[in-house]
Amino acid sequence: MLAYIIRRFLLAVITVWAITVLTFVIIQLPPGDFVSIYINSLQSSGSQVSFGQAEAMRAQYGLDQPMTIQYARWMGMMLQGDFGMALAWNKPVKEIIGDRLVLTMVVSISAIMLTWMIALPVGIYSAVRQYSFGDYAFTFIGFLGIAIPNFMLALILMYVGYKYFNMSIGGLFSPEFENAPWSLAKAGDLGKHLILPAVILGLAGTAQLIRIMRANLLDELRKPYVVTARAKGLAETRVILKYPVRAALNPFASTVGYYFPYVVSGSIIVSLVLGLPTVGPLLLTALVAQDMFLAGTIVLMLGILTVFGTFVSDLILMWIEPRMRMEG
Amino acid sequence: MDNGHAERQQPILSVRNLKTYFFQDEGLVRAVDGANFDLYRGKTLGIVGESGCGKSVTARSVLRIVERSGRIIEGEILLRREDADGQIDLLDLTKLDAESRLMRSIRGKDIGLVFQEPMTSFSAHYTIGNQIAEAVGMHLKLSKEQARQRAIDMLRSVGIPKPERRVDEYPFQLSGGLRQRAMIAMALSCDPSILIADEPTTALDVTTQAQILALLEGLQRERGMAIMLITHNLGVVAEMCDQVVVMYLGRVVEKGPVDQIFHSAKHPYTQALLLSIPSIESEPRVKLPTISGSIPHPYRRPNGCPFHPRCSQAMPGLCDAQVPTLLPVGPDQEASCFLYHQPVEPA
Amino acid sequence: MATQPTSPDAEERISVATQWQLMWWRFRKHALAKVGAIIVILFYTAALLAEFLAYSDPGFVEAQRSLLPPHGIQWIDEGKFAPFVYGLKGTRDPQTFKRVYVVDPTQKYPIVFFGEGFEWTLFGRTVNRHLIAVEGAPAEEVLFLLGTDTLGRDLWSRLMYGTRVSLFIGLLGVMISLFLGILMGGISGYYGGPIDTLIQRVIEIIRSIPTIPLWMALGAALPREWSVNQVYFAITIIISLIAWTELARVTRGRFLALREEDYVMAAELAGCSQMRIIFRHMVPSFLSHIIAATTLAIAAMIIAETSLSFLGLGLRPPAISWGVLLQDGQNVQALAISPWLIFPIIPVVVIILSLNFLGDGLRDAADPYG
């Protein structure tokens, strides 16, 4: 078991490293270096920068050094928690993304929890009542969920809300809480606003997980241990919930590792449409303005958090599987 | 023959003209199509036949755990059991709701089941003890601690070493033989009067097979339960059984005491089955006789006697037109074959 | 053997059928998959015939006719079937002094099929035939089946062009993915050992990174001055670079499973050559799975392109794709006034649904013995 955890942990570390390299490459991709972009943005706001100052800045950020050394310096900065400056805001990146990163995770995790709460019972129902009306209905909704990209669903719902209910859906806070400090009331307000993004983000995943759960459970229902459990005289509900559902849960849980990055990914684009104060809109503005320190940090942070989430879900998965716990 | 009081001579379970059909999109499968047999206390009944002949469905019909697409459409399954007041009464299981409290109290309590697959008959997600104690706690109304103790005792009684430790282990930590022993322990944990053993030794190696059979015999002597042994292995039948029922395509083709079946089989199918076992006296390097043809597809059951397309003695115009019924062909022995009986109704 | 539900011939037929026949029979039973297949074929045909199905030049800008609502064809004229379209009259709104267009019932322009419209090239020749054309006035001025966008361009005609771009970006991307996926998956499955482990780890790493931020970053890094075609290919490559992992996983999984199959071992024992085993026994069952996975991958690619372009990081105007068209509908206020701007959602949903049905049907059919 320890060996397994160590292996997974090493993989997570390697993944994070791969993400840092990728992020660094992305930061380097646009033409011109950070300093020239920075100077441009300063000039457009009216300040003047001399050539000497620019060279000094280049030296300070190590831009005159070879790539590998630049990477090492950049990594050093990152490790010290210095993520550079966000150009448009003229503030440290750290200050700008802190809250938004937390909200991104809040939105993603609520979507995942919602997905589980729906997919699990519906998947069980669909398998146990295979080919029933309900099974067909859920399959149909599921297909729609997969076929409508989530940003389109967000658009449609916003349009419907605006046009027919005369309310603007979107945002994560009511105006009165927007800039208020955290309080119980603000958290409650957040909770109310979370439902819609969670549904939009979770729909496609829910549809997929229902199908996975249904297929797994159908496989498990045919296994001899189910007959054994029935032959013991257990009530059917108990037979199904205790044995095949328990077994079908494992492959189901293992998909969460892949599902998490998918949801985080989706949250970016859904946030843009719904105007949620997550890192999504920030990433887009940063990319459009070629503010690569900000964009790079966001990509990096999302990557790291996703890897962390996947690692945790791996650990949970291992814990619920006795075979892996005993032998692993 | 047992010469106890009259009660003991009554069958504990009688299956009468049982028909279990599967209604599937592709067509109707008559998995069991008129099964008749009796089970007696302390005796073992063997149900023999090739795979797909309806043996397992018969067992599941008795427990009323046939899958959703299958239904018992005719017949009786009469269970002789003591009711709450100590009265003996005769209960027709086909009349009960499969999910009713009464039927569930019969499953596991009055009738235990041991299964073919020791690998997959236990769930891999719970300990052996958990899975045994679950039934015990429910049927015998024991506390958690008592149920666990009972599970340990049962594991010990089926010859599992260090039962106190094994009880907390998961099925995959046990060898195939031990797992099958644990399975028997679970089936017998509530002291049932009937044990249905569905191919209990098929998946085991030969030595383990012998041990498991010996264990079953010993337990039967101790507890006096009736065993319904479902197998395709005639060697096992010869060793274990008192009575034999031979099934083909869902129908009983012959039944009788084990000696008579082995020494004077009447039905051509039984005869062919017996010929296909290797014997010490058979000539070396001579091919064993096989039954020609193969079992027909379940959706395409032949008309008349189900065995006639493969039967070497089939009588054209008779066997392919009419269905024979089970009638006596000797003391205690019955067969359904036109070689011994003229058709009951005119053609 | 007089009356039987299925004739012995039927069974005979099944037992001698080739694997492809079995798959076809199995696929035919899948009603939804068949519908999906038909729709997919229709869409790709429409994409090929985009210029013919459009009736207006997709780049024809007339700012005065911006955001016109759909203005359709009237089919019956004076009790006879004679399709025509009413003319539009520009007037000034007395309050806002904005120029607005109203239907002018006095003007009727007949609709002709296979008539003449804007010019396009077919195999190097200039032609001007279109499925629908207007007589008496340029189609650009009177016919707006789905309304117009902010620059007064006809949405229907642009949708036809967008369909071509979006569908073929999916197809092209899938080919690159397929090449990478089969190569990597095949190497992984064939050699096993440390190479397999390495490739599997790389795939795991790629799959654990959220894709949209990555796509966005790569899309944003494309130089602004690149031409439409350069961006098109760059976006295709970006999308396929991330999507190949799933195909590699399927390939490797099938490879490993097939190596263990009894019939492969049976063929080996029967003395079949390595080549014969691979091509005769492994490839058919392998290909079918790959085809199924590919179908589903096309759907994912179309979504990816649409999402990226929608954000403004994928294809850029003057390129036309579903995502580019939907960009106009990003704003709720704009949508509330001109709901037709959101119409391109419908073809996106329909094609993705169809590809999913088709993929599912193919996946089921891929295992004809299962």
Side-chain angles (χ1 to χ4, degrees), chain B residues 13 15 37 39 43-47 55-56 58-60 62 111-112 114 194-200 220 226-231 241:
Chain B
L13 184 85
V15 171
F37 54 83
L39 228 60
K43 300 283 182 194
T44 302
L45 171 79
I47 298 189
K55 298 168 297 186
S56 296
T58 308
R60 289 182 195 197
V62 170
I111 309 173
V114 177
I194 299 169
L195 178 70
I196 300 180
D198 187 353
E199 305 268 13
Q220 184 179 37
I227 297 182
M228 180 169 149
L229 182 68
I230 295 172
T231 179
C241 299

PDB file of all heavy atoms in Angstrom, chain B residues 13 15 37 39 43-47 55-56 58-60 62 111-112 114 194-200 220 226-231 241:
ATOM      1  N   LEU B  13     -39.034 -31.973   0.377  1.00  0.00           N
ATOM      2  CA  LEU B  13     -39.316 -31.057  -0.735  1.00  0.00           C
ATOM      3  C   LEU B  13     -39.796 -31.882  -1.924  1.00  0.00           C
ATOM      4  O   LEU B  13     -39.149 -32.856  -2.294  1.00  0.00           O
ATOM      5  CB  LEU B  13     -38.046 -30.287  -1.128  1.00  0.00           C
ATOM      6  CG  LEU B  13     -38.241 -29.238  -2.212  1.00  0.00           C
ATOM      7  CD1 LEU B  13     -38.724 -27.927  -1.610  1.00  0.00           C
ATOM      8  CD2 LEU B  13     -36.955 -29.000  -2.984  1.00  0.00           C
ATOM      9  N   VAL B  15     -40.992 -31.470  -5.895  1.00  0.00           N
ATOM     10  CA  VAL B  15     -41.164 -30.609  -7.058  1.00  0.00           C
ATOM     11  C   VAL B  15     -42.081 -31.343  -8.024  1.00  0.00           C
ATOM     12  O   VAL B  15     -41.829 -32.502  -8.367  1.00  0.00           O
ATOM     13  CB  VAL B  15     -39.806 -30.285  -7.711  1.00  0.00           C
ATOM     14  CG1 VAL B  15     -40.006 -29.569  -9.032  1.00  0.00           C
ATOM     15  CG2 VAL B  15     -38.971 -29.439  -6.762  1.00  0.00           C
ATOM     16  N   PHE B  37     -39.467 -34.302  -8.924  1.00  0.00           N
ATOM     17  CA  PHE B  37     -38.583 -35.100  -8.062  1.00  0.00           C
ATOM     18  C   PHE B  37     -38.890 -34.816  -6.598  1.00  0.00           C
ATOM     19  O   PHE B  37     -39.601 -33.861  -6.284  1.00  0.00           O
ATOM     20  CB  PHE B  37     -37.101 -34.850  -8.374  1.00  0.00           C
ATOM     21  CG  PHE B  37     -36.695 -33.415  -8.321  1.00  0.00           C
ATOM     22  CD1 PHE B  37     -36.367 -32.819  -7.114  1.00  0.00           C
ATOM     23  CD2 PHE B  37     -36.627 -32.655  -9.487  1.00  0.00           C
ATOM     24  CE1 PHE B  37     -35.981 -31.496  -7.071  1.00  0.00           C
ATOM     25  CE2 PHE B  37     -36.254 -31.321  -9.445  1.00  0.00           C
ATOM     26  CZ  PHE B  37     -35.928 -30.742  -8.234  1.00  0.00           C
ATOM     27  N   LEU B  39     -37.200 -34.776  -2.455  1.00  0.00           N
ATOM     28  CA  LEU B  39     -35.984 -34.708  -1.639  1.00  0.00           C
ATOM     29  C   LEU B  39     -36.323 -35.245  -0.258  1.00  0.00           C
ATOM     30  O   LEU B  39     -37.351 -34.875   0.303  1.00  0.00           O
ATOM     31  CB  LEU B  39     -35.576 -33.232  -1.515  1.00  0.00           C
ATOM     32  CG  LEU B  39     -34.136 -32.874  -1.773  1.00  0.00           C
ATOM     33  CD1 LEU B  39     -33.753 -33.268  -3.181  1.00  0.00           C
ATOM     34  CD2 LEU B  39     -33.942 -31.376  -1.578  1.00  0.00           C
ATOM     35  N   LYS B  43     -30.880 -37.574   2.864  1.00  0.00           N
ATOM     36  CA  LYS B  43     -30.553 -38.243   1.600  1.00  0.00           C
ATOM     37  C   LYS B  43     -30.023 -37.216   0.601  1.00  0.00           C
ATOM     38  O   LYS B  43     -30.285 -36.012   0.710  1.00  0.00           O
ATOM     39  CB  LYS B  43     -31.806 -38.897   0.997  1.00  0.00           C
ATOM     40  CG  LYS B  43     -32.428 -39.935   1.892  1.00  0.00           C
ATOM     41  CD  LYS B  43     -31.618 -41.208   1.839  1.00  0.00           C
ATOM     42  CE  LYS B  43     -32.283 -42.272   2.720  1.00  0.00           C
ATOM     43  NZ  LYS B  43     -31.385 -43.396   2.955  1.00  0.00           N
ATOM     44  N   THR B  44     -29.315 -37.732  -0.369  1.00  0.00           N
ATOM     45  CA  THR B  44     -28.797 -36.847  -1.407  1.00  0.00           C
ATOM     46  C   THR B  44     -29.434 -37.202  -2.736  1.00  0.00           C
ATOM     47  O   THR B  44     -29.459 -38.378  -3.125  1.00  0.00           O
ATOM     48  CB  THR B  44     -27.272 -36.986  -1.522  1.00  0.00           C
ATOM     49  OG1 THR B  44     -26.704 -36.672  -0.243  1.00  0.00           O
ATOM     50  CG2 THR B  44     -26.719 -36.048  -2.569  1.00  0.00           C
ATOM     51  N   LEU B  45     -29.955 -36.160  -3.372  1.00  0.00           N
ATOM     52  CA  LEU B  45     -30.530 -36.355  -4.693  1.00  0.00           C
ATOM     53  C   LEU B  45     -29.581 -35.720  -5.709  1.00  0.00           C
ATOM     54  O   LEU B  45     -29.190 -34.566  -5.565  1.00  0.00           O
ATOM     55  CB  LEU B  45     -31.896 -35.662  -4.770  1.00  0.00           C
ATOM     56  CG  LEU B  45     -32.519 -35.601  -6.167  1.00  0.00           C
ATOM     57  CD1 LEU B  45     -33.146 -36.940  -6.528  1.00  0.00           C
ATOM     58  CD2 LEU B  45     -33.554 -34.494  -6.252  1.00  0.00           C
ATOM     59  N   GLY B  46     -29.212 -36.493  -6.716  1.00  0.00           N
ATOM     60  CA  GLY B  46     -28.339 -35.936  -7.751  1.00  0.00           C
ATOM     61  C   GLY B  46     -29.173 -35.483  -8.931  1.00  0.00           C
ATOM     62  O   GLY B  46     -30.064 -36.190  -9.363  1.00  0.00           O
ATOM     63  N   ILE B  47     -28.896 -34.297  -9.439  1.00  0.00           N
ATOM     64  CA  ILE B  47     -29.537 -33.862 -10.679  1.00  0.00           C
ATOM     65  C   ILE B  47     -28.434 -33.759 -11.720  1.00  0.00           C
ATOM     66  O   ILE B  47     -27.468 -33.021 -11.549  1.00  0.00           O
ATOM     67  CB  ILE B  47     -30.258 -32.518 -10.499  1.00  0.00           C
ATOM     68  CG1 ILE B  47     -31.369 -32.702  -9.449  1.00  0.00           C
ATOM     69  CG2 ILE B  47     -30.844 -32.044 -11.821  1.00  0.00           C
ATOM     70  CD1 ILE B  47     -32.304 -31.547  -9.311  1.00  0.00           C
ATOM     71  N   LYS B  55     -30.636 -27.565 -15.040  1.00  0.00           N
ATOM     72  CA  LYS B  55     -30.350 -27.954 -13.653  1.00  0.00           C
ATOM     73  C   LYS B  55     -30.319 -26.747 -12.727  1.00  0.00           C
ATOM     74  O   LYS B  55     -30.980 -26.714 -11.685  1.00  0.00           O
ATOM     75  CB  LYS B  55     -28.973 -28.641 -13.558  1.00  0.00           C
ATOM     76  CG  LYS B  55     -28.838 -29.913 -14.323  1.00  0.00           C
ATOM     77  CD  LYS B  55     -27.375 -30.343 -14.390  1.00  0.00           C
ATOM     78  CE  LYS B  55     -26.547 -29.324 -15.128  1.00  0.00           C
ATOM     79  NZ  LYS B  55     -25.165 -29.710 -15.369  1.00  0.00           N
ATOM     80  N   SER B  56     -29.518 -25.740 -13.126  1.00  0.00           N
ATOM     81  CA  SER B  56     -29.352 -24.584 -12.246  1.00  0.00           C
ATOM     82  C   SER B  56     -30.627 -23.775 -12.137  1.00  0.00           C
ATOM     83  O   SER B  56     -30.936 -23.253 -11.064  1.00  0.00           O
ATOM     84  CB  SER B  56     -28.229 -23.688 -12.757  1.00  0.00           C
ATOM     85  OG  SER B  56     -27.014 -24.390 -12.693  1.00  0.00           O
ATOM     86  N   THR B  58     -33.570 -24.968 -12.224  1.00  0.00           N
ATOM     87  CA  THR B  58     -34.411 -25.701 -11.280  1.00  0.00           C
ATOM     88  C   THR B  58     -34.074 -25.288  -9.851  1.00  0.00           C
ATOM     89  O   THR B  58     -34.960 -24.959  -9.051  1.00  0.00           O
ATOM     90  CB  THR B  58     -34.191 -27.222 -11.441  1.00  0.00           C
ATOM     91  OG1 THR B  58     -34.350 -27.553 -12.810  1.00  0.00           O
ATOM     92  CG2 THR B  58     -35.159 -28.011 -10.599  1.00  0.00           C
ATOM     93  N   ALA B  59     -32.755 -25.249  -9.555  1.00  0.00           N
ATOM     94  CA  ALA B  59     -32.329 -24.880  -8.205  1.00  0.00           C
ATOM     95  C   ALA B  59     -32.790 -23.470  -7.866  1.00  0.00           C
ATOM     96  O   ALA B  59     -33.306 -23.203  -6.778  1.00  0.00           O
ATOM     97  CB  ALA B  59     -30.816 -24.982  -8.098  1.00  0.00           C
ATOM     98  N   ARG B  60     -32.624 -22.570  -8.819  1.00  0.00           N
ATOM     99  CA  ARG B  60     -33.013 -21.182  -8.554  1.00  0.00           C
ATOM    100  C   ARG B  60     -34.526 -21.037  -8.447  1.00  0.00           C
ATOM    101  O   ARG B  60     -35.005 -20.170  -7.723  1.00  0.00           O
ATOM    102  CB  ARG B  60     -32.484 -20.268  -9.644  1.00  0.00           C
ATOM    103  CG  ARG B  60     -30.985 -20.125  -9.526  1.00  0.00           C
ATOM    104  CD  ARG B  60     -30.424 -19.200 -10.541  1.00  0.00           C
ATOM    105  NE  ARG B  60     -28.987 -19.391 -10.600  1.00  0.00           N
ATOM    106  CZ  ARG B  60     -28.165 -18.529 -11.147  1.00  0.00           C
ATOM    107  NH1 ARG B  60     -28.641 -17.431 -11.672  1.00  0.00           N
ATOM    108  NH2 ARG B  60     -26.879 -18.756 -11.165  1.00  0.00           N
ATOM    109  N   VAL B  62     -36.461 -23.219  -7.113  1.00  0.00           N
ATOM    110  CA  VAL B  62     -36.814 -23.659  -5.764  1.00  0.00           C
ATOM    111  C   VAL B  62     -36.589 -22.514  -4.774  1.00  0.00           C
ATOM    112  O   VAL B  62     -37.403 -22.268  -3.892  1.00  0.00           O
ATOM    113  CB  VAL B  62     -35.984 -24.900  -5.366  1.00  0.00           C
ATOM    114  CG1 VAL B  62     -36.158 -25.202  -3.893  1.00  0.00           C
ATOM    115  CG2 VAL B  62     -36.392 -26.089  -6.219  1.00  0.00           C
ATOM    116  N   ILE B 111     -33.440 -23.362   3.332  1.00  0.00           N
ATOM    117  CA  ILE B 111     -32.709 -23.886   2.181  1.00  0.00           C
ATOM    118  C   ILE B 111     -31.419 -23.089   2.015  1.00  0.00           C
ATOM    119  O   ILE B 111     -31.444 -21.861   1.909  1.00  0.00           O
ATOM    120  CB  ILE B 111     -33.539 -23.763   0.883  1.00  0.00           C
ATOM    121  CG1 ILE B 111     -34.942 -24.343   1.072  1.00  0.00           C
ATOM    122  CG2 ILE B 111     -32.822 -24.441  -0.262  1.00  0.00           C
ATOM    123  CD1 ILE B 111     -35.865 -24.115  -0.103  1.00  0.00           C
ATOM    124  N   GLY B 112     -30.299 -23.793   2.028  1.00  0.00           N
ATOM    125  CA  GLY B 112     -29.015 -23.134   1.805  1.00  0.00           C
ATOM    126  C   GLY B 112     -28.530 -23.426   0.400  1.00  0.00           C
ATOM    127  O   GLY B 112     -28.900 -24.429  -0.203  1.00  0.00           O
ATOM    128  N   VAL B 114     -25.076 -23.621  -2.155  1.00  0.00           N
ATOM    129  CA  VAL B 114     -23.638 -23.569  -2.410  1.00  0.00           C
ATOM    130  C   VAL B 114     -23.465 -23.554  -3.907  1.00  0.00           C
ATOM    131  O   VAL B 114     -24.121 -24.282  -4.631  1.00  0.00           O
ATOM    132  CB  VAL B 114     -22.897 -24.797  -1.826  1.00  0.00           C
ATOM    133  CG1 VAL B 114     -21.418 -24.730  -2.182  1.00  0.00           C
ATOM    134  CG2 VAL B 114     -23.071 -24.852  -0.337  1.00  0.00           C
ATOM    135  N   ILE B 194     -32.440 -28.179   4.006  1.00  0.00           N
ATOM    136  CA  ILE B 194     -32.090 -28.555   2.633  1.00  0.00           C
ATOM    137  C   ILE B 194     -30.865 -27.765   2.204  1.00  0.00           C
ATOM    138  O   ILE B 194     -30.776 -26.561   2.449  1.00  0.00           O
ATOM    139  CB  ILE B 194     -33.246 -28.215   1.659  1.00  0.00           C
ATOM    140  CG1 ILE B 194     -34.518 -28.982   2.041  1.00  0.00           C
ATOM    141  CG2 ILE B 194     -32.846 -28.525   0.222  1.00  0.00           C
ATOM    142  CD1 ILE B 194     -35.743 -28.512   1.312  1.00  0.00           C
ATOM    143  N   LEU B 195     -29.922 -28.469   1.584  1.00  0.00           N
ATOM    144  CA  LEU B 195     -28.772 -27.773   1.011  1.00  0.00           C
ATOM    145  C   LEU B 195     -28.794 -28.019  -0.494  1.00  0.00           C
ATOM    146  O   LEU B 195     -28.809 -29.166  -0.937  1.00  0.00           O
ATOM    147  CB  LEU B 195     -27.471 -28.299   1.609  1.00  0.00           C
ATOM    148  CG  LEU B 195     -26.207 -27.658   1.025  1.00  0.00           C
ATOM    149  CD1 LEU B 195     -26.077 -26.215   1.472  1.00  0.00           C
ATOM    150  CD2 LEU B 195     -24.970 -28.446   1.411  1.00  0.00           C
ATOM    151  N   ILE B 196     -28.807 -26.939  -1.261  1.00  0.00           N
ATOM    152  CA  ILE B 196     -28.702 -27.095  -2.706  1.00  0.00           C
ATOM    153  C   ILE B 196     -27.255 -26.813  -3.069  1.00  0.00           C
ATOM    154  O   ILE B 196     -26.733 -25.733  -2.789  1.00  0.00           O
ATOM    155  CB  ILE B 196     -29.628 -26.114  -3.446  1.00  0.00           C
ATOM    156  CG1 ILE B 196     -31.089 -26.379  -3.040  1.00  0.00           C
ATOM    157  CG2 ILE B 196     -29.461 -26.266  -4.943  1.00  0.00           C
ATOM    158  CD1 ILE B 196     -32.080 -25.474  -3.709  1.00  0.00           C
ATOM    159  N   ALA B 197     -26.588 -27.809  -3.636  1.00  0.00           N
ATOM    160  CA  ALA B 197     -25.195 -27.625  -4.029  1.00  0.00           C
ATOM    161  C   ALA B 197     -25.144 -27.658  -5.547  1.00  0.00           C
ATOM    162  O   ALA B 197     -25.333 -28.687  -6.166  1.00  0.00           O
ATOM    163  CB  ALA B 197     -24.331 -28.724  -3.430  1.00  0.00           C
ATOM    164  N   ASP B 198     -24.913 -26.470  -6.138  1.00  0.00           N
ATOM    165  CA  ASP B 198     -24.930 -26.345  -7.593  1.00  0.00           C
ATOM    166  C   ASP B 198     -23.502 -26.455  -8.110  1.00  0.00           C
ATOM    167  O   ASP B 198     -22.734 -25.501  -8.002  1.00  0.00           O
ATOM    168  CB  ASP B 198     -25.559 -25.000  -7.954  1.00  0.00           C
ATOM    169  CG  ASP B 198     -25.787 -24.853  -9.459  1.00  0.00           C
ATOM    170  OD1 ASP B 198     -25.330 -25.740 -10.207  1.00  0.00           O
ATOM    171  OD2 ASP B 198     -26.411 -23.863  -9.862  1.00  0.00           O
ATOM    172  N   GLU B 199     -23.140 -27.612  -8.628  1.00  0.00           N
ATOM    173  CA  GLU B 199     -21.781 -27.863  -9.119  1.00  0.00           C
ATOM    174  C   GLU B 199     -20.740 -27.431  -8.088  1.00  0.00           C
ATOM    175  O   GLU B 199     -19.881 -26.606  -8.381  1.00  0.00           O
ATOM    176  CB  GLU B 199     -21.534 -27.089 -10.431  1.00  0.00           C
ATOM    177  CG  GLU B 199     -22.550 -27.363 -11.520  1.00  0.00           C
ATOM    178  CD  GLU B 199     -22.138 -28.482 -12.451  1.00  0.00           C
ATOM    179  OE1 GLU B 199     -21.178 -29.217 -12.112  1.00  0.00           O
ATOM    180  OE2 GLU B 199     -22.780 -28.656 -13.507  1.00  0.00           O
ATOM    181  N   PRO B 200     -20.803 -27.970  -6.880  1.00  0.00           N
ATOM    182  CA  PRO B 200     -19.959 -27.409  -5.819  1.00  0.00           C
ATOM    183  C   PRO B 200     -18.475 -27.668  -6.033  1.00  0.00           C
ATOM    184  O   PRO B 200     -17.651 -27.005  -5.418  1.00  0.00           O
ATOM    185  CB  PRO B 200     -20.453 -28.107  -4.561  1.00  0.00           C
ATOM    186  CG  PRO B 200     -21.023 -29.389  -5.052  1.00  0.00           C
ATOM    187  CD  PRO B 200     -21.586 -29.107  -6.411  1.00  0.00           C
ATOM    188  N   GLN B 220     -23.630 -33.902   6.335  1.00  0.00           N
ATOM    189  CA  GLN B 220     -24.976 -34.449   6.177  1.00  0.00           C
ATOM    190  C   GLN B 220     -25.255 -35.472   7.272  1.00  0.00           C
ATOM    191  O   GLN B 220     -26.332 -35.507   7.848  1.00  0.00           O
ATOM    192  CB  GLN B 220     -25.125 -35.088   4.799  1.00  0.00           C
ATOM    193  CG  GLN B 220     -26.534 -35.580   4.531  1.00  0.00           C
ATOM    194  CD  GLN B 220     -26.676 -36.178   3.156  1.00  0.00           C
ATOM    195  OE1 GLN B 220     -25.751 -36.835   2.681  1.00  0.00           O
ATOM    196  NE2 GLN B 220     -27.815 -35.957   2.527  1.00  0.00           N
ATOM    197  N   ALA B 226     -31.146 -32.647   3.871  1.00  0.00           N
ATOM    198  CA  ALA B 226     -31.258 -33.213   2.530  1.00  0.00           C
ATOM    199  C   ALA B 226     -30.342 -32.410   1.612  1.00  0.00           C
ATOM    200  O   ALA B 226     -30.213 -31.200   1.773  1.00  0.00           O
ATOM    201  CB  ALA B 226     -32.694 -33.110   2.040  1.00  0.00           C
ATOM    202  N   ILE B 227     -29.690 -33.103   0.685  1.00  0.00           N
ATOM    203  CA  ILE B 227     -28.826 -32.389  -0.254  1.00  0.00           C
ATOM    204  C   ILE B 227     -29.353 -32.590  -1.659  1.00  0.00           C
ATOM    205  O   ILE B 227     -29.702 -33.697  -2.056  1.00  0.00           O
ATOM    206  CB  ILE B 227     -27.369 -32.895  -0.183  1.00  0.00           C
ATOM    207  CG1 ILE B 227     -26.784 -32.611   1.209  1.00  0.00           C
ATOM    208  CG2 ILE B 227     -26.507 -32.227  -1.252  1.00  0.00           C
ATOM    209  CD1 ILE B 227     -25.340 -33.033   1.363  1.00  0.00           C
ATOM    210  N   MET B 228     -29.439 -31.475  -2.375  1.00  0.00           N
ATOM    211  CA  MET B 228     -29.769 -31.557  -3.792  1.00  0.00           C
ATOM    212  C   MET B 228     -28.477 -31.207  -4.512  1.00  0.00           C
ATOM    213  O   MET B 228     -28.019 -30.070  -4.476  1.00  0.00           O
ATOM    214  CB  MET B 228     -30.863 -30.529  -4.096  1.00  0.00           C
ATOM    215  CG  MET B 228     -31.326 -30.466  -5.497  1.00  0.00           C
ATOM    216  SD  MET B 228     -32.823 -29.411  -5.495  1.00  0.00           S
ATOM    217  CE  MET B 228     -32.687 -28.694  -7.085  1.00  0.00           C
ATOM    218  N   LEU B 229     -27.867 -32.228  -5.117  1.00  0.00           N
ATOM    219  CA  LEU B 229     -26.544 -32.048  -5.697  1.00  0.00           C
ATOM    220  C   LEU B 229     -26.673 -31.931  -7.204  1.00  0.00           C
ATOM    221  O   LEU B 229     -27.064 -32.881  -7.872  1.00  0.00           O
ATOM    222  CB  LEU B 229     -25.659 -33.229  -5.317  1.00  0.00           C
ATOM    223  CG  LEU B 229     -24.225 -33.171  -5.804  1.00  0.00           C
ATOM    224  CD1 LEU B 229     -23.456 -32.074  -5.099  1.00  0.00           C
ATOM    225  CD2 LEU B 229     -23.534 -34.511  -5.565  1.00  0.00           C
ATOM    226  N   ILE B 230     -26.347 -30.763  -7.710  1.00  0.00           N
ATOM    227  CA  ILE B 230     -26.470 -30.540  -9.151  1.00  0.00           C
ATOM    228  C   ILE B 230     -25.095 -30.688  -9.766  1.00  0.00           C
ATOM    229  O   ILE B 230     -24.140 -30.059  -9.311  1.00  0.00           O
ATOM    230  CB  ILE B 230     -27.025 -29.129  -9.408  1.00  0.00           C
ATOM    231  CG1 ILE B 230     -28.443 -29.054  -8.857  1.00  0.00           C
ATOM    232  CG2 ILE B 230     -26.977 -28.795 -10.869  1.00  0.00           C
ATOM    233  CD1 ILE B 230     -29.014 -27.681  -8.874  1.00  0.00           C
ATOM    234  N   THR B 231     -24.968 -31.564 -10.737  1.00  0.00           N
ATOM    235  CA  THR B 231     -23.644 -31.787 -11.296  1.00  0.00           C
ATOM    236  C   THR B 231     -23.751 -32.365 -12.697  1.00  0.00           C
ATOM    237  O   THR B 231     -24.794 -32.883 -13.092  1.00  0.00           O
ATOM    238  CB  THR B 231     -22.820 -32.729 -10.398  1.00  0.00           C
ATOM    239  OG1 THR B 231     -21.549 -32.929 -10.993  1.00  0.00           O
ATOM    240  CG2 THR B 231     -23.499 -34.080 -10.248  1.00  0.00           C
ATOM    241  N   CYS B 241     -24.679 -39.821  -4.206  1.00  0.00           N
ATOM    242  CA  CYS B 241     -26.130 -39.706  -4.227  1.00  0.00           C
ATOM    243  C   CYS B 241     -26.856 -40.998  -3.864  1.00  0.00           C
ATOM    244  O   CYS B 241     -26.329 -42.092  -4.006  1.00  0.00           O
ATOM    245  CB  CYS B 241     -26.599 -39.246  -5.607  1.00  0.00           C
ATOM    246  SG  CYS B 241     -25.931 -37.656  -6.023  1.00  0.00           S
TER     247      CYS B 241
END
